[in-house]
Amino acid sequence: QVQLVESGGGLVQPGGSLRLSCAASKSSFSFRVMGWYRQAPGKERELVARISTGGYTNYVDSVKGRFTISRDNARNTVQLQMNSLKSEDTAVYYCKATDRYGYDSWGQGTQVTVSS
């Protein structure tokens, strides 16, 4: 069973930056897509960004130009660089990896709070 461990969450002021990282317990080449999702209190979980093995990326409109997703297949990690953070970015952020069979694995989540 694949384990995904997120890190890098925390409290930051509006306009600040955070970098999330997700480490997989097996080679990230096993995952055709890796991505970040978030869930705010009272809201459904939503896709934030995802990246394919080939480096193709997708972002939700609300983070375009502010967030950047990347993956390091040598280290089996996927990162999310978050700049110009807003209060509405406050949520629990989850890492997800989808293997070539379409099976999804999820991390345990990391809290991001944007507040002054």
Side-chain angles (χ1 to χ4, degrees), residues 30-115:
S30 302
F31 308 119
R32 56 184 177 89
V33 180
M34 299 185 77
W36 288 93
Y37 288 69
R38 66 186 179 188
Q39 188 166 19
K43 295 187 176 181
E44 294 187 353
R45 191 173 297 188
E46 66 169 354
L47 170 68
V48 177
R50 60 188 175 189
I51 183 168
S52 71
T53 304
Y56 293 102
T57 59
N58 296 100
Y59 297 89
V60 67
D61 285 347
S62 61
V63 308
K64 287 180 179 178
R66 301 188 297 122
F67 291 11
T68 302
I69 190 170
S70 61
R71 63 192 286 176
D72 185 340
N73 291 321
R75 292 181 171 81
N76 303 329
T77 60
V78 60
Q79 294 82 32
L80 185 68
Q81 178 65 43
M82 305 186 293
N83 299 327
S84 302
L85 283 160
K86 305 175 181 180
S87 58
E88 51 263 44
D89 295 318
T90 295
V92 178
Y93 283 70
Y94 297 90
C95 176
K96 188 179 91 167
T98 303
D99 69 16
R100 58 182 175 176
Y101 303 108
Y103 182 81
D104 294 331
S105 297
W106 290 89
Q108 81 287 352
T110 185
Q111 177 70 47
V112 171
T113 303
V114 184
S115 175

Coordinates of all heavy atoms in Angstrom, one line a residue, residues 30-115:
S30 N 5.5 5.5 -10.7 CA 4.4 4.6 -10.7 C 3.1 5.3 -10.8 O 2.0 4.7 -11.1 CB 4.4 3.8 -9.3 OG 5.5 3.1 -9.1
F31 N 3.1 6.6 -10.6 CA 1.9 7.4 -10.6 C 1.8 8.3 -11.9 O 2.7 9.1 -12.1 CB 1.9 8.4 -9.4 CG 2.1 7.6 -8.1 CD1 3.2 8.0 -7.3 CD2 1.3 6.6 -7.7 CE1 3.5 7.3 -6.1 CE2 1.5 6.0 -6.5 CZ 2.6 6.3 -5.7
R32 N 0.8 8.0 -12.6 CA 0.6 8.8 -13.9 C 0.2 10.3 -13.6 O 0.5 11.2 -14.4 CB -0.4 8.2 -14.8 CG -1.8 7.9 -14.3 CD -2.6 7.2 -15.3 NE -3.9 6.8 -14.8 CZ -5.0 7.6 -15.0 NH1 -4.8 8.8 -15.5 NH2 -6.1 7.2 -14.5
V33 N -0.4 10.5 -12.4 CA -0.8 11.8 -12.0 C -0.6 12.0 -10.5 O -1.0 11.1 -9.8 CB -2.3 12.1 -12.4 CG1 -2.6 13.6 -11.9 CG2 -2.6 12.0 -13.8
M34 N -0.1 13.1 -10.2 CA 0.0 13.5 -8.7 C -0.6 14.9 -8.6 O -0.4 15.7 -9.5 CB 1.5 13.4 -8.2 CG 2.1 12.1 -8.3 SD 3.8 12.0 -7.6 CE 3.4 11.9 -5.9
G35 N -1.2 15.1 -7.5 CA -1.9 16.4 -7.4 C -2.1 16.8 -5.9 O -1.9 16.0 -5.0
W36 N -2.6 18.0 -5.8 CA -3.0 18.6 -4.5 C -4.5 19.0 -4.6 O -4.9 19.6 -5.5 CB -2.1 19.8 -4.2 CG -0.7 19.5 -3.9 CD1 0.3 19.5 -4.8 CD2 -0.2 19.1 -2.6 NE1 1.5 19.1 -4.1 CE2 1.2 18.9 -2.8 CE3 -0.8 19.0 -1.4 CZ2 2.0 18.5 -1.7 CZ3 0.1 18.7 -0.3 CH2 1.4 18.4 -0.5
Y37 N -5.1 18.6 -3.5 CA -6.5 19.0 -3.3 C -6.6 19.8 -2.0 O -5.7 19.7 -1.2 CB -7.4 17.8 -3.3 CG -7.6 17.1 -4.6 CD1 -6.5 16.4 -5.2 CD2 -8.8 17.1 -5.2 CE1 -6.7 15.8 -6.4 CE2 -9.0 16.5 -6.5 CZ -7.9 15.8 -7.0 OH -8.1 15.2 -8.3
R38 N -7.7 20.5 -1.8 CA -7.9 21.1 -0.5 C -9.4 21.1 -0.1 O -10.3 21.0 -1.0 CB -7.5 22.6 -0.6 CG -8.2 23.5 -1.5 CD -7.6 24.9 -1.6 NE -8.3 25.8 -2.5 CZ -7.9 26.9 -2.9 NH1 -6.7 27.4 -2.4 NH2 -8.6 27.7 -3.7
Q39 N -9.6 21.2 1.2 CA -11.0 21.2 1.7 C -11.1 22.2 2.8 O -10.4 22.1 3.8 CB -11.4 19.8 2.2 CG -12.8 19.7 2.6 CD -13.3 18.3 2.7 OE1 -12.5 17.3 2.9 NE2 -14.6 18.1 2.7
A40 N -11.9 23.2 2.6 CA -12.1 24.2 3.6 C -13.3 23.8 4.4 O -14.2 23.0 4.0 CB -12.4 25.6 2.9
P41 N -13.5 24.3 5.7 CA -14.6 24.0 6.5 C -15.9 24.2 5.8 O -16.1 25.3 5.3 CB -14.4 24.9 7.7 CG -12.9 25.2 7.8 CD -12.5 25.2 6.3
G42 N -16.8 23.2 5.8 CA -18.1 23.4 5.2 C -18.1 23.3 3.7 O -19.2 23.5 3.1
K43 N -17.0 23.0 3.1 CA -17.0 23.0 1.6 C -16.5 21.6 1.2 O -15.9 20.8 1.9 CB -16.0 24.0 1.1 CG -16.5 25.5 1.3 CD -15.7 26.5 0.6 CE -16.2 27.9 0.8 NZ -15.3 28.9 0.1
E44 N -16.8 21.3 -0.1 CA -16.3 20.0 -0.6 C -14.8 20.1 -1.0 O -14.3 21.2 -1.2 CB -17.1 19.7 -1.9 CG -18.6 19.4 -1.6 CD -19.3 18.9 -2.9 OE1 -18.7 19.0 -4.0 OE2 -20.5 18.6 -2.7
R45 N -14.2 19.0 -1.0 CA -12.8 18.9 -1.4 C -12.7 19.3 -2.9 O -13.5 18.8 -3.7 CB -12.3 17.5 -1.2 CG -10.8 17.4 -1.3 CD -10.2 16.0 -0.9 NE -10.5 15.8 0.5 CZ -10.0 14.7 1.1 NH1 -9.3 13.8 0.5 NH2 -10.3 14.5 2.4
E46 N -11.7 20.1 -3.3 CA -11.6 20.5 -4.6 C -10.1 20.3 -5.1 O -9.2 20.4 -4.3 CB -11.9 22.0 -4.8 CG -11.0 23.0 -4.1 CD -11.3 24.4 -4.5 OE1 -12.1 24.7 -5.4 OE2 -10.7 25.3 -3.8
L47 N -10.0 20.1 -6.4 CA -8.7 20.0 -7.0 C -8.0 21.4 -7.0 O -8.6 22.4 -7.4 CB -8.8 19.5 -8.5 CG -7.5 19.6 -9.3 CD1 -6.5 18.6 -8.8 CD2 -7.8 19.4 -10.8
V48 N -6.8 21.5 -6.6 CA -6.0 22.7 -6.6 C -5.1 22.7 -7.9 O -5.0 23.6 -8.7 CB -5.1 22.9 -5.4 CG1 -4.3 24.1 -5.5 CG2 -6.0 22.9 -4.1
A49 N -4.3 21.6 -8.0 CA -3.3 21.5 -9.1 C -3.0 20.0 -9.2 O -3.0 19.3 -8.3 CB -2.1 22.3 -8.8
R50 N -2.6 19.6 -10.4 CA -2.1 18.3 -10.7 C -1.1 18.3 -11.8 O -1.0 19.2 -12.6 CB -3.3 17.3 -11.0 CG -4.0 17.7 -12.3 CD -5.3 16.8 -12.4 NE -6.1 17.2 -13.5 CZ -7.3 16.8 -13.8 NH1 -7.8 15.8 -13.0 NH2 -8.0 17.2 -14.8
I51 N -0.3 17.2 -11.8 CA 0.8 17.2 -12.7 C 1.0 15.7 -13.2 O 1.0 14.8 -12.3 CB 2.1 17.7 -12.1 CG1 3.3 17.7 -13.1 CG2 2.5 17.0 -10.8 CD1 4.5 18.6 -12.7
S52 N 1.2 15.5 -14.5 CA 1.3 14.2 -15.0 C 2.8 13.8 -15.0 O 3.7 14.6 -14.7 CB 0.8 14.1 -16.4 OG 1.7 14.9 -17.3
T53 N 3.0 12.5 -15.3 CA 4.4 12.0 -15.4 C 5.2 12.8 -16.4 O 6.4 13.1 -16.2 CB 4.4 10.6 -15.7 OG1 3.7 9.8 -14.8 CG2 5.9 10.0 -15.7
G54 N 4.6 13.3 -17.4 CA 5.2 14.0 -18.5 C 5.4 15.5 -18.2 O 5.9 16.2 -19.0
G55 N 4.8 15.9 -17.0 CA 5.0 17.3 -16.7 C 3.9 18.2 -17.0 O 3.9 19.5 -16.8
Y56 N 2.8 17.7 -17.6 CA 1.6 18.5 -17.9 C 0.9 18.9 -16.6 O 0.7 18.1 -15.7 CB 0.7 17.8 -18.8 CG 1.3 17.5 -20.2 CD1 1.8 16.3 -20.6 CD2 1.3 18.6 -21.2 CE1 2.3 16.1 -21.8 CE2 1.9 18.3 -22.4 CZ 2.4 17.1 -22.7 OH 2.9 16.9 -24.0
T57 N 0.5 20.1 -16.5 CA -0.1 20.7 -15.3 C -1.5 21.2 -15.5 O -1.8 21.7 -16.6 CB 0.7 21.7 -14.7 OG1 0.9 22.8 -15.6 CG2 2.1 21.2 -14.3
N58 N -2.3 21.2 -14.5 CA -3.6 21.8 -14.5 C -3.8 22.5 -13.1 O -3.4 22.0 -12.1 CB -4.8 20.8 -14.6 CG -4.8 20.1 -15.9 OD1 -4.3 18.9 -16.0 ND2 -5.3 20.7 -17.0
Y59 N -4.5 23.7 -13.2 CA -4.7 24.4 -12.0 C -6.2 24.9 -11.9 O -6.8 25.2 -13.0 CB -3.8 25.7 -11.9 CG -2.4 25.4 -11.9 CD1 -1.6 25.3 -13.0 CD2 -1.7 25.3 -10.6 CE1 -0.2 25.1 -13.0 CE2 -0.3 25.1 -10.6 CZ 0.4 25.0 -11.8 OH 1.7 24.8 -11.7
V60 N -6.7 24.9 -10.7 CA -8.0 25.6 -10.6 C -7.8 27.1 -10.8 O -6.8 27.6 -10.5 CB -8.6 25.3 -9.1 CG1 -7.8 26.0 -8.1 CG2 -10.0 25.7 -9.1
D61 N -8.8 27.7 -11.4 CA -8.7 29.1 -11.8 C -8.2 30.0 -10.7 O -7.5 31.0 -10.9 CB -10.0 29.6 -12.4 CG -10.3 29.1 -13.8 OD1 -9.3 28.5 -14.4 OD2 -11.4 29.2 -14.3
S62 N -8.7 29.8 -9.5 CA -8.5 30.7 -8.4 C -7.0 30.7 -7.9 O -6.6 31.6 -7.2 CB -9.4 30.3 -7.2 OG -9.1 29.0 -6.7
V63 N -6.2 29.8 -8.4 CA -4.8 29.8 -7.9 C -3.8 30.0 -9.1 O -2.6 30.1 -8.9 CB -4.4 28.5 -7.2 CG1 -5.4 28.2 -6.1 CG2 -4.3 27.3 -8.2
K64 N -4.3 30.1 -10.3 CA -3.5 30.3 -11.5 C -2.7 31.6 -11.3 O -3.2 32.7 -10.9 CB -4.3 30.4 -12.7 CG -4.8 29.0 -13.2 CD -5.6 29.2 -14.5 CE -6.2 27.8 -14.9 NZ -7.0 27.9 -16.1
G65 N -1.4 31.5 -11.6 CA -0.5 32.7 -11.4 C 0.1 32.8 -10.0 O 1.0 33.6 -9.8
R66 N -0.5 32.1 -9.1 CA 0.0 32.2 -7.7 C 0.6 30.9 -7.2 O 1.6 30.9 -6.4 CB -1.1 32.6 -6.8 CG -1.8 33.9 -7.1 CD -2.8 34.3 -6.0 NE -3.9 33.3 -5.9 CZ -4.2 32.7 -4.7 NH1 -3.5 32.9 -3.6 NH2 -5.2 31.9 -4.7
F67 N 0.1 29.8 -7.6 CA 0.6 28.5 -7.2 C 1.3 27.8 -8.3 O 1.0 27.9 -9.5 CB -0.5 27.6 -6.7 CG -1.2 28.0 -5.5 CD1 -1.0 29.2 -4.9 CD2 -2.2 27.1 -4.9 CE1 -1.7 29.6 -3.7 CE2 -2.8 27.5 -3.7 CZ -2.6 28.7 -3.1
T68 N 2.4 27.0 -8.0 CA 3.1 26.2 -9.0 C 3.3 24.8 -8.4 O 3.8 24.6 -7.3 CB 4.5 26.8 -9.3 OG1 4.3 28.2 -9.7 CG2 5.2 26.0 -10.3
I69 N 2.9 23.8 -9.2 CA 3.1 22.4 -8.8 C 4.3 21.9 -9.6 O 4.5 22.2 -10.7 CB 1.8 21.6 -9.1 CG1 2.0 20.2 -8.5 CG2 1.5 21.5 -10.6 CD1 0.7 19.4 -8.5
S70 N 5.0 21.0 -8.9 CA 6.2 20.4 -9.6 C 6.4 19.0 -8.9 O 5.9 18.7 -7.8 CB 7.5 21.2 -9.4 OG 7.8 21.4 -8.0
R71 N 7.1 18.2 -9.6 CA 7.4 16.8 -9.1 C 8.8 16.5 -9.3 O 9.4 16.9 -10.3 CB 6.4 15.8 -9.6 CG 6.5 15.5 -11.1 CD 5.3 14.7 -11.6 NE 5.5 13.3 -11.2 CZ 4.5 12.3 -11.5 NH1 3.4 12.7 -12.0 NH2 4.7 11.1 -11.1
D72 N 9.4 15.8 -8.4 CA 10.8 15.3 -8.4 C 10.7 13.8 -8.4 O 10.6 13.2 -7.3 CB 11.6 15.9 -7.2 CG 13.0 15.6 -7.3 OD1 13.4 14.6 -8.0 OD2 13.8 16.2 -6.6
N73 N 10.8 13.2 -9.5 CA 10.7 11.7 -9.6 C 11.9 11.0 -9.0 O 11.7 9.9 -8.6 CB 10.5 11.3 -11.1 CG 9.1 11.7 -11.6 OD1 8.1 11.7 -10.9 ND2 9.1 12.2 -12.8
A74 N 13.0 11.7 -8.9 CA 14.2 11.1 -8.3 C 14.0 10.9 -6.8 O 14.5 10.0 -6.2 CB 15.4 11.9 -8.6
R75 N 13.2 11.9 -6.2 CA 13.0 11.9 -4.8 C 11.6 11.4 -4.4 O 11.2 11.4 -3.2 CB 13.2 13.3 -4.2 CG 14.7 13.7 -4.2 CD 14.9 15.1 -3.6 NE 16.3 15.4 -3.4 CZ 17.1 15.8 -4.3 NH1 16.6 16.1 -5.6 NH2 18.3 16.1 -4.1
N76 N 10.8 11.0 -5.5 CA 9.4 10.6 -5.2 C 8.6 11.6 -4.5 O 7.8 11.2 -3.5 CB 9.4 9.2 -4.4 CG 10.2 8.2 -5.1 OD1 10.3 8.1 -6.4 ND2 10.8 7.3 -4.4
T77 N 8.7 12.8 -4.9 CA 8.0 13.9 -4.2 C 7.2 14.8 -5.2 O 7.6 14.8 -6.4 CB 8.9 14.8 -3.4 OG1 9.9 15.4 -4.3 CG2 9.6 14.0 -2.3
V78 N 6.2 15.4 -4.7 CA 5.5 16.4 -5.5 C 5.3 17.6 -4.6 O 5.1 17.5 -3.4 CB 4.1 15.9 -6.0 CG1 3.2 15.5 -4.8 CG2 3.4 17.0 -6.9
Q79 N 5.6 18.8 -5.1 CA 5.6 20.1 -4.3 C 4.5 21.0 -4.8 O 4.1 21.0 -6.0 CB 6.9 20.8 -4.4 CG 8.1 20.0 -3.7 CD 8.7 18.9 -4.6 OE1 8.7 19.1 -5.9 NE2 9.1 17.9 -4.0
L80 N 4.1 21.9 -3.9 CA 3.2 22.9 -4.3 C 3.7 24.2 -3.7 O 3.7 24.4 -2.5 CB 1.7 22.7 -3.8 CG 0.7 23.7 -4.3 CD1 0.4 23.6 -5.8 CD2 -0.6 23.5 -3.5
Q81 N 4.2 25.1 -4.6 CA 4.7 26.4 -4.1 C 3.5 27.4 -4.2 O 2.9 27.6 -5.3 CB 5.8 26.9 -5.1 CG 6.3 28.3 -4.7 CD 7.0 28.4 -3.4 OE1 7.7 27.5 -3.0 NE2 6.7 29.4 -2.6
M82 N 3.2 28.0 -3.1 CA 2.0 28.8 -3.0 C 2.5 30.2 -2.6 O 3.1 30.5 -1.5 CB 1.0 28.3 -1.9 CG 0.6 26.9 -2.1 SD -0.6 26.3 -0.9 CE 0.3 26.4 0.6
N83 N 2.3 31.2 -3.5 CA 2.6 32.6 -3.3 C 1.4 33.4 -3.3 O 0.3 33.0 -3.7 CB 3.5 33.1 -4.4 CG 4.8 32.3 -4.5 OD1 5.4 31.8 -3.5 ND2 5.4 32.1 -5.7
S84 N 1.5 34.7 -2.8 CA 0.4 35.6 -2.7 C -0.8 35.0 -2.1 O -1.9 35.1 -2.6 CB 0.1 36.2 -4.1 OG 1.2 36.8 -4.7
L85 N -0.6 34.3 -1.0 CA -1.7 33.6 -0.3 C -2.8 34.5 0.2 O -2.5 35.7 0.6 CB -1.2 32.8 0.8 CG -0.5 31.5 0.4 CD1 0.4 30.9 1.5 CD2 -1.5 30.4 0.0
K86 N -4.0 34.1 0.1 CA -5.2 34.8 0.5 C -5.9 34.0 1.6 O -5.8 32.8 1.7 CB -6.1 35.0 -0.7 CG -5.5 35.7 -1.9 CD -6.5 35.7 -3.1 CE -5.8 36.3 -4.3 NZ -6.8 36.3 -5.5
S87 N -6.8 34.7 2.3 CA -7.5 34.1 3.4 C -8.4 32.9 2.8 O -8.6 31.9 3.5 CB -8.4 35.1 4.1 OG -9.3 35.7 3.2
E88 N -8.9 33.1 1.6 CA -9.7 32.0 1.0 C -8.9 30.8 0.6 O -9.5 29.8 0.2 CB -10.5 32.5 -0.2 CG -9.6 33.3 -1.2 CD -9.7 34.8 -1.1 OE1 -9.6 35.2 0.1 OE2 -9.8 35.5 -2.1
D89 N -7.6 30.8 0.7 CA -6.7 29.6 0.5 C -6.7 28.8 1.8 O -6.1 27.7 1.7 CB -5.3 30.0 0.1 CG -5.3 30.7 -1.2 OD1 -6.0 30.3 -2.2 OD2 -4.5 31.7 -1.3
T90 N -7.2 29.2 2.9 CA -7.2 28.5 4.1 C -8.0 27.2 3.9 O -9.1 27.2 3.5 CB -7.8 29.3 5.3 OG1 -7.0 30.4 5.5 CG2 -7.9 28.5 6.5
A91 N -7.3 26.1 4.2 CA -7.9 24.8 4.0 C -7.0 23.7 4.5 O -5.8 24.0 4.8 CB -8.3 24.5 2.6
V92 N -7.5 22.5 4.6 CA -6.6 21.3 4.7 C -6.2 20.9 3.3 O -7.1 20.7 2.4 CB -7.2 20.2 5.5 CG1 -6.3 19.0 5.5 CG2 -7.7 20.6 6.9
Y93 N -4.9 20.8 3.0 CA -4.4 20.4 1.7 C -4.0 18.9 1.7 O -3.3 18.5 2.6 CB -3.2 21.3 1.3 CG -3.6 22.7 0.9 CD1 -4.2 23.6 1.8 CD2 -3.6 23.1 -0.4 CE1 -4.6 24.8 1.5 CE2 -4.0 24.3 -0.8 CZ -4.5 25.2 0.1 OH -4.9 26.4 -0.3
Y94 N -4.5 18.2 0.7 CA -4.2 16.8 0.6 C -3.4 16.5 -0.7 O -3.7 17.0 -1.7 CB -5.5 16.0 0.5 CG -6.4 16.1 1.8 CD1 -7.3 17.1 1.9 CD2 -6.2 15.2 2.8 CE1 -8.1 17.2 3.0 CE2 -7.0 15.3 4.0 CZ -7.9 16.3 4.1 OH -8.7 16.4 5.2
C95 N -2.5 15.6 -0.6 CA -1.8 15.0 -1.7 C -2.5 13.8 -2.2 O -3.0 13.0 -1.4 CB -0.4 14.7 -1.3 SG 0.6 13.9 -2.5
K96 N -2.6 13.7 -3.5 CA -3.2 12.5 -4.1 C -2.3 12.0 -5.3 O -1.8 12.8 -6.0 CB -4.6 12.8 -4.7 CG -5.4 11.5 -5.2 CD -6.7 11.9 -5.7 CE -6.7 12.1 -7.2 NZ -8.1 12.1 -7.8
A97 N -2.2 10.7 -5.3 CA -1.4 10.0 -6.4 C -2.3 9.0 -7.1 O -3.0 8.2 -6.4 CB -0.2 9.4 -5.9
T98 N -2.3 9.0 -8.4 CA -3.1 8.0 -9.2 C -2.2 7.2 -10.0 O -1.4 7.7 -10.8 CB -4.1 8.8 -10.1 OG1 -4.9 9.6 -9.4 CG2 -5.0 7.8 -10.9
D99 N -2.3 5.8 -9.8 CA -1.4 4.9 -10.5 C -1.9 4.6 -11.9 O -3.0 5.1 -12.3 CB -1.1 3.7 -9.7 CG -2.3 2.8 -9.5 OD1 -3.3 2.9 -10.3 OD2 -2.2 1.9 -8.7
R100 N -1.2 3.8 -12.7 CA -1.6 3.6 -14.0 C -2.9 2.8 -14.2 O -3.4 2.7 -15.3 CB -0.4 2.9 -14.8 CG 0.0 1.6 -14.1 CD 1.1 1.0 -14.9 NE 1.7 -0.2 -14.2 CZ 2.6 -1.0 -14.7 NH1 3.2 -0.7 -15.9 NH2 3.0 -2.0 -14.1
Y101 N -3.3 2.2 -13.1 CA -4.6 1.4 -13.1 C -5.7 2.3 -12.6 O -6.9 1.8 -12.6 CB -4.4 0.2 -12.2 CG -3.3 -0.7 -12.5 CD1 -2.1 -0.8 -11.8 CD2 -3.3 -1.5 -13.7 CE1 -1.1 -1.6 -12.1 CE2 -2.3 -2.3 -14.1 CZ -1.1 -2.4 -13.3 OH -0.1 -3.2 -13.6
G102 N -5.5 3.5 -12.3 CA -6.5 4.4 -11.9 C -6.8 4.4 -10.4 O -7.8 5.0 -9.9
Y103 N -6.0 3.7 -9.6 CA -6.2 3.6 -8.2 C -5.6 4.9 -7.5 O -4.4 5.3 -7.8 CB -5.5 2.4 -7.6 CG -5.7 2.2 -6.2 CD1 -6.9 1.7 -5.6 CD2 -4.7 2.6 -5.2 CE1 -7.1 1.5 -4.3 CE2 -4.9 2.5 -3.9 CZ -6.1 1.9 -3.4 OH -6.3 1.8 -2.1
D104 N -6.4 5.5 -6.6 CA -6.0 6.7 -5.9 C -5.5 6.4 -4.6 O -6.1 5.6 -3.8 CB -7.2 7.7 -5.8 CG -7.6 8.2 -7.2 OD1 -6.8 8.3 -8.1 OD2 -8.8 8.5 -7.3
S105 N -4.4 7.1 -4.2 CA -3.9 7.1 -2.8 C -3.9 8.5 -2.3 O -3.6 9.4 -3.1 CB -2.5 6.5 -2.8 OG -2.4 5.2 -3.2
W106 N -4.2 8.7 -1.0 CA -4.3 10.0 -0.4 C -3.4 10.1 0.8 O -3.2 9.2 1.5 CB -5.7 10.3 0.0 CG -6.7 10.4 -1.0 CD1 -7.5 9.5 -1.6 CD2 -7.2 11.7 -1.6 NE1 -8.3 10.0 -2.6 CE2 -8.1 11.4 -2.6 CE3 -6.8 13.0 -1.4 CZ2 -8.8 12.4 -3.4 CZ3 -7.4 14.0 -2.2 CH2 -8.4 13.7 -3.2
G107 N -2.9 11.3 1.0 CA -2.2 11.6 2.2 C -3.1 12.0 3.3 O -4.3 12.1 3.1
Q108 N -2.6 12.3 4.5 CA -3.4 12.5 5.6 C -3.8 14.0 5.7 O -4.7 14.3 6.5 CB -2.6 12.1 6.9 CG -1.6 13.2 7.4 CD -0.4 13.3 6.6 OE1 -0.1 12.5 5.7 NE2 0.5 14.2 6.9
G109 N -3.2 14.9 5.0 CA -3.6 16.3 4.9 C -2.7 17.1 5.8 O -2.1 16.7 6.8
T110 N -2.5 18.4 5.4 CA -1.8 19.3 6.2 C -2.5 20.7 6.2 O -3.1 21.1 5.1 CB -0.3 19.5 5.6 OG1 0.4 20.4 6.4 CG2 -0.3 20.1 4.2
Q111 N -2.6 21.3 7.3 CA -3.4 22.5 7.5 C -2.6 23.7 7.0 O -1.5 23.9 7.3 CB -3.8 22.7 8.9 CG -4.6 24.0 9.2 CD -6.0 24.0 8.6 OE1 -6.7 23.0 8.8 NE2 -6.4 25.0 8.0
V112 N -3.3 24.5 6.2 CA -2.8 25.8 5.7 C -3.8 26.9 6.2 O -5.0 26.8 5.9 CB -2.6 25.9 4.2 CG1 -2.3 27.3 3.8 CG2 -1.5 24.9 3.7
T113 N -3.3 27.8 7.0 CA -4.1 28.9 7.5 C -3.5 30.2 7.1 O -2.3 30.5 7.4 CB -4.2 28.8 9.0 OG1 -4.8 27.6 9.4 CG2 -5.2 29.9 9.6
V114 N -4.3 31.0 6.4 CA -3.8 32.4 6.0 C -4.6 33.4 6.8 O -5.8 33.5 6.6 CB -4.1 32.6 4.5 CG1 -3.5 33.9 4.0 CG2 -3.4 31.4 3.7
S115 N -3.9 34.1 7.6 CA -4.6 35.0 8.5 C -3.6 36.0 9.1 O -2.4 35.7 9.3 CB -5.2 34.2 9.7 OG -5.8 35.1 10.6

